[in-house]
């Protein structure tokens, strides 16, 4: 069997490695040219994502690309400590979630896949797909080239073209009301404890910062506002965005304004979209994985981890079930409920960042109790302790999780 994978972000190379482990050939077609993977700031790979990567032996390079961040401390804009919580769980051997620059995660996965002999073609943007004459699928790319295989796997992100090839009526991403910025300051933020994300519910926007091992500070800002239009993006320089952010956080306790003024942006004016439910995940020999099927808001910290889980489960289904239609149905059956629940949880977390003044006061009163009683390691275990055993065969019909 040969699988064609559209998209070489996070889901793409992990799916290719999982398929290879299942004895299935895979080739990855990434739209960007080599070097185009530098975009983006930092994301979390949580313990469940590390566990999935471990199933295909790809956890070590990923861990090396980032740094451990096991804890979140929540603070109000007045500097009051609202609570603390695990950031992404802990595996049985003590491995904790890691914060990783997306470009380094991308590079680590590409190098690992290439080292295993997996072909990743850059500059190949999927444009169309149709059933091939003798079975399987024939795909075409924007550069006029074509490829054929038994299966097309769309790992092509939140704006996935494969999703629309499978179902022309498929939904697009939903704007969640927050514009995202990510940056780096080559200086520390005072006494910030290593491995701790400080999350500040500011008066007008949300700010997170963590010390990185190089001695600098990784930070992000989520700003409640209308989505950034193409015209606004084109007309706004990084320096202008930074000035707007410094003003937004002026008056809040904490280092936000200083970090923004003293650093640089790596992700600017990114209107955050999620994808709560995609009705059709597969049709014939075509299927979607990762953000293409279920993009969470970054507030969930689960995008990359769910993508890795999808990859492992899909490969197991293709390995164990007698034909592609049964495998794709089993994959959806095993994944849909879990990922939709995580996307919904991420949307709830994001909405705590966008209240008005009354909601803000209530939130600051309620959050200490919420974090003490409701957001505990136990209550989050269904996300972080999720384990996919590579050797346990998938049976048909699948057990839903
Ligand atoms: C440039 C970029 C920067 C990001 N930065 C952040 C960040 O800072 N923080 C964060 O939390 N999340 C970020 N994300 C999202 C995060 O990577 C995903 O939520 C998550 O890792 C799931 O990965 P995925 O592989 O499903 O999707 P993605 O990581 O989005 O990967 C999809 C890949 O498909 C490729 N692609 C798209 N269309 C086509 C096509 N027609 N043909 C072939 N390939 C195609 C894209 O170029 C991309 O490489 C970013 C995504 C991208 C693409």
């Amino acid at each position: 069997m040969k699988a064609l994978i559209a998209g070489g972000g996070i889901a793409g190379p992990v799916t290719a490695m999982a398929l290879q482990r299942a004895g299935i050939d895979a080739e990855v077609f990434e739209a960007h040219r080599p070097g185009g993977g530098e975009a983006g700031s930092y994301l979390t790979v949580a313990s469940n994502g590390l566990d999935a990567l471990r199933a295909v032996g790809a956890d070590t390079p990923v861990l090396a690309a980032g740094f451990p961040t096991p804890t979140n401390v929540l603070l109000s804009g007045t500097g009051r400590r609202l609570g603390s919580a695990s950031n992404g769980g802990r595996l049985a051997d003590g491995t904790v979630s890691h914060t990783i620059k997306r470009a380094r995660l991308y590079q680590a996965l590409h190098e690992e896949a290439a080292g295993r002999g997996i072909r990743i073609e850059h500059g190949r943007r999927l444009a169309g797909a149709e059933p091939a004459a003798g079975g399987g699928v024939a795909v075409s790319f924007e550069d006029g080239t074509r490829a054929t295989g038994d299966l097309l796997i769309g790992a092509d992100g939140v704006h996935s073209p494969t999703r629309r090839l499978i179902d022309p009526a498929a939904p697009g991403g939903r704007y969640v009301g927050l514009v995202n910025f990510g940056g780096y300051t080559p200086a520390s933020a005072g006494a910030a404890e290593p491995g701790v994300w400080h999350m500040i519910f500011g008066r007008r926007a949300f700010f997170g910062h963590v010390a990185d091992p190089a001695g600098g500070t990784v930070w992000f800002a989520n700003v409640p506002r209308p989505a950034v239009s193409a015209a606004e993006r084109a007309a706004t320089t990084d320096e202008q965005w930074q000035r707007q952010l410094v003003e937004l956080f002026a008056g809040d306790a904490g280092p936000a304004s200083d970090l923004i003024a003293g650093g640089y942006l790596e992700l600017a004016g990114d209107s955050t979209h999620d994808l709560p439910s995609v009705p059709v995940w597969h049709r014939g020999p075509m299927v979607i994985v990762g953000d293409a099927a279920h993009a969470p808001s970054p507030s969930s910290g689960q995008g990359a981890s769910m993508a890795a889980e999808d990859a492992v489960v899909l490969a197991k289904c293709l390995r164990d079930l007698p034909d592609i239609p049964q495998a794709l149905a089993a994959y959806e059956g095993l994944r849909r409920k879990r990922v939709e629940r995580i996307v919904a949880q991420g949307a709830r977390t994001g909405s705590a960042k966008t209240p008005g003044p009354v909601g803000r006061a209530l939130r600051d009163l309620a959050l200490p109790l919420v974090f003490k009683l409701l957001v505990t390691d136990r209550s989050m275990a269904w996300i972080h302790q999720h384990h996919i055993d590579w050797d346990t065969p998938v049976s048909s019909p699948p057990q839903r999780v």
Side-chain angles (χ1 to χ4, degrees):
M1 193 190 298
K2 173 159 187 205
L4 310 177
I5 300 176
I10 310 306
V14 185
T15 303
M17 288 188 272
L19 290 174
Q20 186 189 53
R21 190 153 185 223
I24 297 165
D25 276 349
E27 189 169 356
V28 180
F29 299 91
E30 165 56 42
H32 283 128
R33 303 216 160 268
E38 281 306 309
S41 68
Y42 287 72
L43 47 72
T44 301
V45 182
S47 55
N48 53 305
L50 293 169
D51 185 68
L53 290 164
R54 197 170 274 184
V56 295
D59 53 321
T60 304
V62 167
L63 290 170
F67 57 97
T69 44
T71 309
N72 285 335
V73 166
L74 293 305
L75 300 147
S76 74
T78 59
R80 184 167 154 242
R81 189 183 159 105
L82 301 172
S84 69
S86 158
N87 171 39
R90 180 181 293 269
L91 294 177
D93 69 357
T95 306
V96 295
S97 80
H98 275 50
T99 292
I100 310 177
K101 189 164 161 52
R102 183 189 179 273
R104 285 181 209 136
L105 175 59
Y106 174 98
Q107 193 184 348
L109 291 171
H110 276 232
E111 282 173 10
E112 184 65 23
R116 297 178 188 199
I118 292 166
R119 274 185 69 181
I120 302 183
E121 300 255 340
H122 286 91
R124 304 285 295 276
R125 183 176 288 277
L126 177 79
E130 56 195 26
V137 61
V139 306
S140 55
F141 299 94
E142 271 185 15
D143 63 2
T145 58
R146 299 176 72 80
T148 54
D150 299 294
L151 176 65
L152 169 64
I153 300 173
D156 39 9
V158 64
H159 305 295
S160 166
T162 309
R163 187 168 68 236
R164 289 265 156 78
L165 289 170
I166 290 173
D167 175 13
R174 171 182 72 169
Y175 178 57
V176 305
L178 291 170
V179 172
N180 197 14
F181 297 83
Y184 186 79
T185 304
S188 70
E193 236 180 289
V196 176
W197 267 106
H198 299 76
M199 305 291 198
I200 303 168
F201 292 88
R203 281 179 308 132
R204 292 184 285 184
F206 185 85
F207 188 79
H209 67 95
V210 66
D212 93 332
T217 304
V218 174
W219 49 264
F220 70 87
N222 295 155
V223 180
R225 49 153 287 169
V228 176
S229 68
E232 183 182 6
R233 180 169 296 104
T236 314
T237 64
D238 278 5
E239 290 69 29
Q240 288 168 327
W241 285 125
Q242 276 173 272
R243 274 203 294 278
Q244 289 182 23
L245 290 173
V246 167
E247 271 173 36
L248 265 180
F249 290 104
D252 282 348
S257 288
D258 288 346
L259 286 172
I260 296 162
Y264 52 87
L265 284 169
E266 296 182 307
L267 183 74
D270 182 46
S271 306
T272 305
H273 288 78
D274 74 358
L275 197 58
S277 184
V278 173
V280 187
W281 281 23
H282 56 92
R283 180 170 65 82
M286 300 190 281
V287 65
I288 42 181
V289 292
D291 275 12
H294 47 68
S297 124
S299 304
S300 76
Q302 280 289 318
S305 299
M306 287 198 289
E309 288 182 1
D310 281 358
V312 177
V313 173
L314 177 62
K316 283 184 59 173
C317 292
L318 288 162
R319 176 193 69 186
D320 296 340
L321 295 174
D323 56 40
I324 288 173
Q326 286 186 65
L328 302 190
Y331 156 72
E332 180 182 351
L334 286 163
R335 296 295 296 154
R336 181 182 279 282
K337 192 171 160 201
R338 171 174 171 76
V339 297
E340 289 187 353
R341 200 175 155 201
I342 292 175
V343 176
Q345 175 136 331
R348 281 195 296 279
T349 309
S351 68
K353 298 173 178 174
T354 55
V358 177
R360 201 160 58 226
L362 290 175
R363 178 199 61 201
D364 291 357
L365 281 176
L367 275 184
L369 267 184
V370 169
F371 278 95
K372 195 160 175 202
L373 301 175
L374 301 179
V375 186
T376 60
D377 286 354
R378 210 161 141 202
S379 72
M380 300 296 280
W382 68 274
I383 299 181
H384 299 143
Q385 301 306 319
H386 184 74
H387 173 65
I388 304 161
D389 185 58
W390 178 258
D391 295 322
T392 306
V394 176
S395 52
S396 190
Q399 279 192 317
R400 287 179 172 263
V401 288

